[in-house]
Amino acid sequence: MNRREQSLAALVAAIWGVNFVVIDWGMGDVPPLVFLAVRFLAVIVPAVLLVPPPAVGWRTVAAVGTFMSLGQFGLLYVALDVGLPPGLAGLVLQAQVALTIAISAVALRERPTRAQAIGVLLGAVGLVVVGFGRGGHVALLGLLLCLGAALMWAIGNVVARTSGAGGAAGGLSMTVWSALVVPVPLLLLAVALDGPGTLSAAAAAFGWKAALSTLYTAGLASLVGYGIFNSLLARHPSSEVVPWILLVPPVAIGSAWLLLDEVPSPGELAGGVLLVAGVLVAQRGGRRVAREALSDRTRCTTAPSRPGSPVPPAPAAP
């Protein structure tokens, strides 16, 4: 990725890091599945009337929505509802980085470089350090639900990577149209679990905080964040894009510190430093591979041919 794309990836990590604090602040007494359904309704309307469908098959669009949106956030919001702390949720969810690279290596044969593997390993160590630094006991159910959310996100990443809908427009289209599969199943599940009265209870509890939280999560976290993220995945290998999301936990911890006065422990700060270092190492490896590929391509297209020998064909554009 070039510097502009790296800056966009860092922006997405910042938006998503603050997102956990915003969700926790705005959800209040609104049932989590209904709150999430409202978020994706806000993503769909009116964007689905303004943004053309992505240039991929509907099965791909439905798969991205099912895994990356419905599966990931459904499990995440329930995990928060059963007591998983928002900061720790932001940490555990980043297991999707290693899961994405592992699934990509098997399904797409995108083998990570040694530097990328070291960077992800360093980031994973940082996650463990942050987890120990938080201390306390965590409900096992919430932890398992959040790990399930990370797996859903990882599968969605790989599906988005194979969609071929590159560019900012393609990423935004995928984000908007894949959201169509989210609200109805969530509302039906909420009614099935909590009874028909859950919708009226949610409407009564939906105040100005919930409205502002929805504007942030739908506008910035979903439309802007996933629009950029999906477009980067469509143009670059997963192992080059996904490590940037390791920056989400330090941002989540920092935003909770500034906005909720939750002072991080020394272990959390040390783990955050390791996470940042892991991203930098992984990206350095990705840049080196890109430079070598560009150098090989230049040699192939500029090398003179010997008399009587065929001119080597130029490699296909990536």
Side-chain angles (χ1 to χ4, degrees), residues 10 13-18 21 247-256:
I15 292 173
W16 287 348
V18 177
V21 174
L247 295 175
V248 169
V251 174
I253 293 171
S255 60

Side-chain angles (χ1 to χ4, degrees), residues 89-117:
L91 168 71
V92 175
L93 195 61
Q94 301 322 306
Q96 62 88 17
V97 175
L99 291 171
T100 298
I101 293 178
I103 295 172
S104 295
V106 175
L108 306 180
R109 297 185 178 180
E110 291 182 351
R111 304 295 182 182
T113 66
R114 180 178 298 179
Q116 288 170 332

Side-chain angles (χ1 to χ4, degrees), residues 168-194:
L172 181 59
S173 295
M174 179 65 77
T175 301
V176 171
W177 286 85
S178 65
L180 288 171
V181 306
V182 179
V184 172
L186 285 176
L187 292 175
L188 292 176
L189 185 58
V191 171
L193 294 176
D194 301 324

Side-chain angles (χ1 to χ4, degrees), residues 222-302:
S222 289
L223 290 175
V224 175
Y226 274 97
I228 295 172
F229 189 66
N230 285 339
S231 68
L232 292 176
L233 279 174
R235 296 198 301 266
H236 300 283
S238 303
S239 58
E240 189 174 350
V241 178
V242 175
W244 281 93
I245 309 306
L246 286 171
L247 295 175
V248 169
V251 174
I253 293 171
S255 60
W257 188 358
L258 293 174
L259 301 176
L260 303 179
D261 199 26
E262 295 182 359
V263 180
S265 68
E268 290 176 293
L269 293 176
V273 171
L274 287 174
L275 284 167
V276 174
V279 170
L280 294 176
V281 171
Q283 291 307 306
R284 182 178 180 181
R287 288 196 300 269
R288 184 168 59 251
V289 170
R291 287 195 300 267
E292 291 173 354
L294 179 60
S295 177
D296 290 343
R297 182 175 180 178
T298 302
R299 285 196 298 269
C300 288
T301 56
T302 60

Side-chain angles (χ1 to χ4, degrees), residues 131-144:
F132 279 109
R134 292 191 63 88
H137 300 284
V138 179
L140 179 60
L141 177 59
L143 183 62
L144 293 176

